[in-house]
Amino acid sequence: MMTSTPAFASAEPLPLLRLAPDDAPASVLGLDSKDKPAGKKLTVALRKAFANRGLSGGEEISLEEMRLTMGCTNDGVDCLAEGGRTLGVRRLIFGYLAPADGGYQLDIQILDAQAGTLEAQASMPVTKADLADGTIDATAVTIVNELMPPTDADTDLPPRPDPLPEVEVEPEPEEPEQTQREKSTLWMGLEKPTPRWKWVGFGTTLGLTVAAAGVTIGTGVWITASDDNSFGFRPRLIEAANNSLRNDNPDNQVNPMTVDDICEYNVTDEDGSELQADDGSGPGARNLGVANVCRLGERVKTTQIIAGVATGVFGLTTLIFTGLLFIHKRKPGSDAMLRRGLTLGIMPRPEGGASISSSLRF
């Protein structure tokens, strides 16, 4: 979470604020807090309490979203006031809920967005018991009364024509949890900063894919080389068969000009029976040199199959790591920018240079 300097830090206390319902609209921004469930719960109660005092009707965004969309780096009054004017509201209420002494310290203020000045501020401790379901509404009323002390005139104000419905707040979880939107929303694009392990996994699997694909292609070229080539399985086999013709025993000769499948002919007789070794102990071959080339070809074919499977596996793993690099959960800040329609554009100018434009939707 971005940490910022509270905008209300001033040397002199501000005068007490008294408003009527016709001073609306106003926006009560979500409290800035490391304890998000507690901050969200108190924000809901404060919005109800402020609405009963006439401050409501504006866009309900968080202080973190306001910083992001307006580029406020230290929650300065001028920057937040500009954000309030962009929202089209008269006032902004924002604050900070920080852990302190087993409970919390609340700092909250009201900003006149049109005039760009702070109208009221308060700082007070808040216990965990103050945020319990049975007491949080009363706590919110106390906080609002600290900023806007009620007067006798407040009791004469007409009732609101559109009272806010009761908002059911879920019990506070033991540990902060992501919202459902943060869990389900995915973002397309290179994650920045990118975790190192993603780059390591991507680079390793890509290198293995390239290596396996190289072996697959190389063995395929060696196996399918034609007779006219100076390398490959077929030229070596024909060379071994031609060398067999120099053998004095005609039974050990394999003439490549008279057979189609040299390897098959080298291990079977003309009647199709399998040749036996000279001592009758098992399968034999007409020529040992031809047999060695045939065995080499089988090993290369096996290597090609293994490399092809490895190429597919490593390639799939590379795609997975590519997805991890470019598809990831959207961060809350980025989510706020997209929901507000933040866009930037650059257009060249005829006289030279370029103009930069931006738009923001609230």
Side-chain angles (χ1 to χ4, degrees), residues 159-182:
R160 291 179 55 82
D162 54 342
L164 296 179
E166 292 293 329
V167 179
E168 183 178 351
V169 180
E170 297 181 358
E172 180 180 351
E174 295 181 0
E175 296 181 358
E177 297 179 353
Q178 288 180 315
T179 64
Q180 187 62 34
R181 181 178 181 85
E182 292 173 333

Side-chain angles (χ1 to χ4, degrees), residues 105-308:
Q105 179 68 25
L106 174 66
D107 296 309
I108 189 168
Q109 51 277 331
I110 299 177
L111 170 66
D112 186 332
Q114 304 304 316
T117 58
L118 287 174
E119 294 184 314
Q121 65 185 41
S123 179
M124 65 193 73
V126 177
T127 67
K128 292 186 177 180
D130 293 333
L131 301 183
D133 292 342
T135 58
I136 190 168
D137 287 336
T139 300
V141 171
T142 300
I143 295 170
V144 173
N145 289 341
E146 184 74 15
L147 287 165
M148 304 163 53
T151 63
D152 294 338
D154 292 330
T155 59
D156 299 330
L157 295 176
R160 291 179 55 82
D162 54 342
L164 296 179
E166 292 293 329
V167 179
E168 183 178 351
V169 180
E170 297 181 358
E172 180 180 351
E174 295 181 0
E175 296 181 358
E177 297 179 353
Q178 288 180 315
T179 64
Q180 187 62 34
R181 181 178 181 85
E182 292 173 333
K183 292 180 180 178
S184 60
T185 305
L186 296 179
W187 170 253
M188 299 291 294
L190 182 62
E191 183 179 6
K192 294 181 180 180
T194 306
R196 181 180 177 83
W197 66 268
K198 291 186 179 182
W199 282 119
V200 172
F202 174 77
T204 301
T205 55
L206 179 61
L208 291 173
T209 301
V210 173
V215 173
T216 303
I217 296 173
T219 52
V221 171
W222 188 86
I223 292 172
T224 59
S226 63
D227 297 354
D228 299 333
N229 290 343
S230 58
F231 67 96
F233 171 70
R234 184 68 182 177
R236 292 187 63 173
L237 183 61
I238 293 176
E239 180 182 4
N242 288 329
N243 291 337
S244 72
L245 298 178
R246 300 189 182 96
N247 195 294
D248 295 335
N249 186 352
D251 292 336
N252 293 336
Q253 297 176 359
V254 181
N255 190 344
M257 303 300 295
T258 60
V259 293
D260 294 328
D261 190 338
I262 298 176
C263 288
E264 180 67 21
Y265 177 76
N266 192 50
V267 297
T268 59
D269 208 344
E270 292 181 358
D271 59 1
S273 61
E274 192 175 59
L275 294 178
Q276 299 296 315
D278 294 341
D279 59 2
S281 60
R286 298 181 189 277
N287 187 273
L288 183 59
V290 174
N292 288 336
V293 176
C294 291
R295 294 190 189 101
L296 176 61
E298 290 298 326
R299 290 196 295 270
V300 173
K301 286 183 180 179
T302 301
T303 302
Q304 183 188 33
I305 294 173
I306 295 174

Side-chain angles (χ1 to χ4, degrees), residues 19-26 47-58 60 154-165:
L19 303 173
D22 57 3
D23 284 315
R47 283 172 175 162
K48 292 166 53 180
F50 275 113
N52 290 331
R53 297 294 299 276
L55 293 181
S56 63
E60 294 184 349
D154 292 330
T155 59
D156 299 330
L157 295 176
R160 291 179 55 82
D162 54 342
L164 296 179

Side-chain angles (χ1 to χ4, degrees), residues 7 29 63 66-67 70 72 74-85 92 94 96 109 111 113:
L29 304 182
L63 178 57
M66 176 65 78
R67 287 195 200 106
M70 299 306 299
C72 301
N74 60 353
D75 294 351
V77 170
D78 292 341
C79 187
L80 292 180
E82 180 64 26
R85 290 190 289 271
L92 283 180
F94 62 99
Y96 312 84
Q109 51 277 331
L111 170 66

